[in-house]
Amino acid sequence: MSETVPAVSVQHVSFRYGVTTILQDVCLDIVDGEFLGLVGPNGGGKTTLLRIILGLLKPQQGVVRIHGTSPHAARGKVGYVPQYTEFARDFPICVEDIVLLGRLGRTSPFFGYRATDRAVAERAMTEAGVVHLRRNHVSELSGGQLQRVVVARALACDPDILLLDEPTANVDLRAEEDIFDLLRKLNERMTIIVVSHDVGFISGYVQRVACLNQTLVCHTTDEIKGEVIENLYGADVRMIHHHGHHH
């Protein structure tokens, strides 16, 4: 793979939902091995952009390439941690079974999981720090533990690129730091794009912040100053600073 091909290339992407414009002429190249934070106000299009990169939505204009191929062709190499986990707390499923779901599409559902699938799931649970919980049911997990289990499920597809949508929305500060420390470690071997509403927190971790509010404005982390955020968010700026732990 040539150095010049970005891990993710978004070129002139526009997306409308009915008459509402969600994304307008968005261009973004993410290099291999980058840790990118995607921030912006609610309704600014962050989740829509992730879904387009995943190939779940097709833009009306523009093109997305993952390592030079279409999102559909590349989907086996992209792991996704959605914003809300779809497991009800009383759902009778244990941690290992959740993580093994990440192997679907890699394995034949008719013959069950192979030894390889179990080995990859084991590695994913170990890496995400949940292997000791493998027999626990969903109902027994804290918010932070469940979030790490869902990260392990995404790792079980053996991705080159990991997309996370607000991975720390429902966890406390300690768990938030744990999850970002895990992402920092994973970034040693994969490209990571994380959606967050908390600029102050994530700028301690990511290499670059892309600010999305229909259109895109990029800044390296050291350029994020108060007035930049004011301009991007207007009145929303106080919501961003809801944690008092800025680096």
Side-chain angles (χ1 to χ4, degrees), residues 8-15 21-30 36 38 44-46 48-50 52-53 59 61-65 210-218:
V8 178
S9 179
V10 176
Q11 293 301 321
H12 301 289
V13 162
S14 295
F15 185 85
T21 298
I22 312 286
L23 299 172
Q24 183 66 51
D25 197 33
V26 170
C27 295
L28 176 65
D29 278 353
I30 298 161
L36 178 93
L38 186 59
K46 303 185 299 290
T48 301
L49 183 58
L50 284 196
I52 289 171
I53 292 170
Q61 276 93 36
V63 69
V64 172
R65 288 282 171 263
C211 305
L212 186 63
N213 190 359
Q214 282 190 17
T215 59
L216 195 72
V217 189
C218 271

Side-chain angles (χ1 to χ4, degrees), residues 39 176 196-203 240-243 245-246:
V39 302
E176 184 172 22
S196 175
H197 55 279
D198 192 346
V199 184
F201 181 79
I202 67 163
S203 37
I240 303 166
H241 297 300
H242 71 289
H243 288 323
H245 58 275
H246 301 300

Side-chain angles (χ1 to χ4, degrees), residues 51-66:
R51 288 181 177 153
I52 289 171
I53 292 170
L54 287 159
L56 299 174
L57 292 175
K58 276 199 171 12
Q60 280 95 355
Q61 276 93 36
V63 69
V64 172
R65 288 282 171 263
I66 313 288

Side-chain angles (χ1 to χ4, degrees), residues 6-238:
V8 178
S9 179
V10 176
Q11 293 301 321
H12 301 289
V13 162
S14 295
F15 185 85
R16 288 180 301 282
Y17 188 74
V19 294
T20 311
T21 298
I22 312 286
L23 299 172
Q24 183 66 51
D25 197 33
V26 170
C27 295
L28 176 65
D29 278 353
I30 298 161
V31 297
D32 233 352
E34 190 168 6
F35 191 163
L36 178 93
L38 186 59
V39 302
N42 288 341
K46 303 185 299 290
T47 298
T48 301
L49 183 58
L50 284 196
R51 288 181 177 153
I52 289 171
I53 292 170
L54 287 159
L56 299 174
L57 292 175
K58 276 199 171 12
Q60 280 95 355
Q61 276 93 36
V63 69
V64 172
R65 288 282 171 263
I66 313 288
H67 290 305
T69 65
S70 71
H72 183 77
R75 65 185 174 182
K77 301 309 285 175
V78 182
Y80 179 45
V81 178
Q83 186 162 7
Y84 300 107
T85 174
E86 63 277 36
F87 298 105
R89 288 307 224 162
D90 54 358
F91 194 64
I93 189 169
C94 73
V95 164
E96 187 166 23
D97 289 337
I98 292 174
V99 176
L100 278 164
L101 289 174
R103 297 301 296 163
L104 295 179
R106 290 309 185 89
T107 196
S108 163
F110 299 108
F111 301 110
Y113 295 110
R114 299 160 310 188
T116 354
D117 298 317
R118 295 195 178 277
V120 174
E122 173 101 18
R123 187 185 78 185
M125 286 187 288
T126 303
E127 206 164 18
V130 293
V131 74
H132 63 295
L133 300 167
R134 65 194 309 159
R135 299 270 167 260
N136 287 45
H137 273 195
V138 178
S139 58
E140 302 170 304
L141 305 178
S142 70
Q145 287 171 333
L146 181 58
Q147 196 57 48
R148 289 210 302 277
V149 168
V150 183
V151 170
R153 178 184 61 176
L155 293 176
C157 83
D158 206 12
D160 295 332
I161 301 169
L162 190 60
L163 306 181
L164 303 101
D165 195 354
E166 298 273 14
T168 55
N170 300 308
V171 301
D172 61 25
L173 173 56
R174 181 63 218 279
E176 184 172 22
E177 286 171 342
D178 280 353
I179 287 161
F180 271 88
D181 288 341
L182 167 63
L183 297 182
R184 184 186 267 157
K185 197 160 174 1
L186 291 172
N187 181 230
E188 292 167 13
R189 67 179 181 87
M190 66 184 70
T191 306
I192 295 182
I193 303 167
V194 60
V195 166
S196 175
H197 55 279
D198 192 346
V199 184
F201 181 79
I202 67 163
S203 37
Y205 290 88
V206 300
Q207 289 145 358
R208 185 165 60 123
V209 172
C211 305
L212 186 63
N213 190 359
Q214 282 190 17
T215 59
L216 195 72
V217 189
C218 271
H219 292 278
T220 53
T221 319
D222 54 11
E223 288 171 342
I224 301 176
K225 304 280 190 296
E227 72 267 21
V228 169
I229 293 171
E230 282 286 3
N231 294 343
L232 284 161
Y233 285 85
D236 282 358
V237 72
R238 281 172 304 286

